[in-house]
Amino acid sequence: MPHREYDAAFNPSPAKGELTVLFSGHAQTMPGHRVGPQVLDYYLVHTVVSGQGVFRCRHTDYRLGPGHSFIIFPGELVRYECSDEDPWRYHWAAFKGSHAEELLSACGITRHAPTALSARPRRMHTLYRRLEQSLREEGQVRKELASGGVLRLILAEYSSASKVGEVRNQEGPIIERQIEQAIRWLTLQYYQPISIEQMAHSLGYHRTHLSKMFKQHTGLSPMQYLLKVRMERAKLLLQESLTVEQVASSIGFTDPLYFSKQFKKTYGQSPSEYRQHLHNPYNCDGAGSKL
């Protein structure tokens, strides 16, 4: 189990605008809970309520505790892990939009400074709860307006936040950069037919060496990591008005039945059951999105 407690709300039909919320949630993590290394194609902010942990981005480690937030930017290789003795409880929100990076930058949050310490942690907690509630509003227009407004209030809190966090390990070895290249390549090419030989050739590395180093640093083989990326993309696409066949094709599966089998093996639900759970979270059994 990745979390002791978990709840999340989703925007089933996110608009394409300046700032749009995709999903939001909260969780009490298990000791040693770890995510990554991974690359996302949307913005994801976590705000720690309690506990301790480390967020790693651009070969820099940030030790973060209560009140801290860390922001994952699209295309950035990241990983994060909570303490064994004092695991994180946190809120999160995922979003996208043409003005997202500009708004974050105006609040002092950039790819080179992706953490902040809230001056009003109780207000942040309240705002995240309101954000989850807004995503459960009836009517798509109301949902979009309400969630977008609350997200702007959350970002506004960062305008007076301190950029704090213990930093260490600012320079990564060459092998980490090689793995970063491989992860970026898989993340960008996941919808294509992919072989390890093709990836190694494209990056200029020996296949055996790359596979060995990749698993050593990520805990997964390159093909296992590719499947993980595809399944995560599938969860997002299942929130759109696409058929299961269209979702399968969009993430590189030519056989929708094989895709459904892999999805159920990964998440314990078929794609159709997962989609039903998104629209009826209190009437269906099943796991939510893993963050």
Side-chain angles (χ1 to χ4, degrees):
M1 288 285 291
H3 303 109
R4 279 206 180 100
E5 300 173 22
Y6 174 94
D7 193 20
F10 299 83
N11 183 349
S13 301
K16 296 180 180 179
E18 294 183 354
L19 195 67
T20 299
V21 181
L22 302 177
F23 54 85
S24 182
H26 64 275
Q28 170 63 62
T29 62
M30 295 287 284
H33 173 65
R34 177 183 298 175
V35 177
Q38 66 178 10
V39 178
L40 302 178
D41 59 1
Y42 52 85
Y43 298 86
L44 181 61
V45 54
H46 288 73
T47 296
V48 180
V49 176
S50 61
Q52 302 291 327
V54 177
F55 170 61
R56 182 170 178 80
C57 180
R58 295 199 171 196
H59 310 294
T60 301
D61 286 358
Y62 301 88
R63 289 194 171 276
L64 306 175
H68 284 112
S69 293
F70 59 92
I71 294 81
I72 301 172
F73 286 76
E76 295 289 341
L77 178 69
V78 301
R79 70 175 75 190
Y80 48 99
E81 180 178 6
C82 69
S83 164
D84 288 328
E85 296 76 23
D86 190 13
W88 276 330
R89 175 183 291 274
Y90 52 37
H91 296 279
W92 66 80
F95 56 96
K96 63 180 181 179
S98 58
H99 284 43
E101 193 144 352
E102 178 182 340
L103 290 171
L104 287 169
S105 179
C107 297
I109 297 172
T110 68
R111 293 173 184 268
H112 294 283
T115 66
L117 178 61
S118 173
R120 300 190 290 180
R122 288 187 179 180
R123 175 165 172 75
M124 290 292 277
H125 174 75
T126 300
L127 288 173
Y128 274 104
R129 289 292 192 180
R130 285 176 57 188
L131 181 58
E132 286 187 52
Q133 293 170 3
S134 71
L135 290 173
R136 296 189 172 103
E137 292 279 358
E138 294 292 334
Q140 185 59 30
V141 173
R142 182 176 178 84
K143 193 189 307 284
E144 281 283 345
L145 292 174
S147 62
V150 179
L151 178 60
R152 282 174 167 81
L153 291 175
I154 290 175
L155 296 184
E157 288 296 304
Y158 293 127
S159 63
S160 58
S162 303
K163 306 303 174 287
V164 178
E166 180 186 332
V167 180
R168 57 187 174 87
N169 298 339
Q170 296 192 359
E171 292 299 326
I174 293 176
I175 186 58
E176 284 195 19
R177 299 183 188 276
Q178 293 174 345
I179 300 307
E180 179 176 344
Q181 284 182 311
I183 288 176
R184 287 182 188 277
W185 195 90
L186 290 171
T187 303
L188 293 173
Q189 303 292 328
Y190 68 90
Y191 56 90
Q192 302 278 6
I194 287 176
S195 69
I196 300 306
E197 291 81 359
Q198 180 187 9
M199 181 179 71
H201 177 75
S202 298
L203 298 176
Y205 304 130
H206 190 277
R207 177 192 182 282
T208 304
H209 167 77
L210 181 61
S211 296
K212 179 181 178 180
M213 291 299 100
F214 193 98
K215 186 162 188 177
Q216 181 178 317
H217 282 72
T218 68
L220 300 172
S221 70
M223 296 311 292
Q224 288 173 328
Y225 190 88
L226 174 62
L227 179 63
K228 175 175 176 287
V229 170
R230 285 174 167 169
M231 293 298 101
E232 289 173 351
R233 295 297 185 272
K235 287 197 298 183
L236 293 177
L237 291 174
L238 285 167
Q239 299 171 40
E240 307 286 348
S241 300
L242 299 173
T243 66
V244 171
E245 291 76 11
Q246 288 170 329
V247 172
S249 178
S250 297
I251 61 170
F253 283 87
T254 57
D255 183 350
L257 293 178
Y258 181 67
F259 157 66
S260 295
K261 179 180 179 181
Q262 291 299 315
F263 190 93
K264 186 166 186 176
K265 182 178 179 181
T266 302
Y267 297 117
Q269 296 175 305
S270 70
S272 297
E273 290 169 340
Y274 177 78
R275 175 173 274 164
Q276 184 182 4
H277 177 70
L278 290 178
H279 293 286
N280 300 284
Y282 301 109
N283 297 325
C284 304
D285 294 328
S289 175
K290 177 182 176 182
L291 295 172

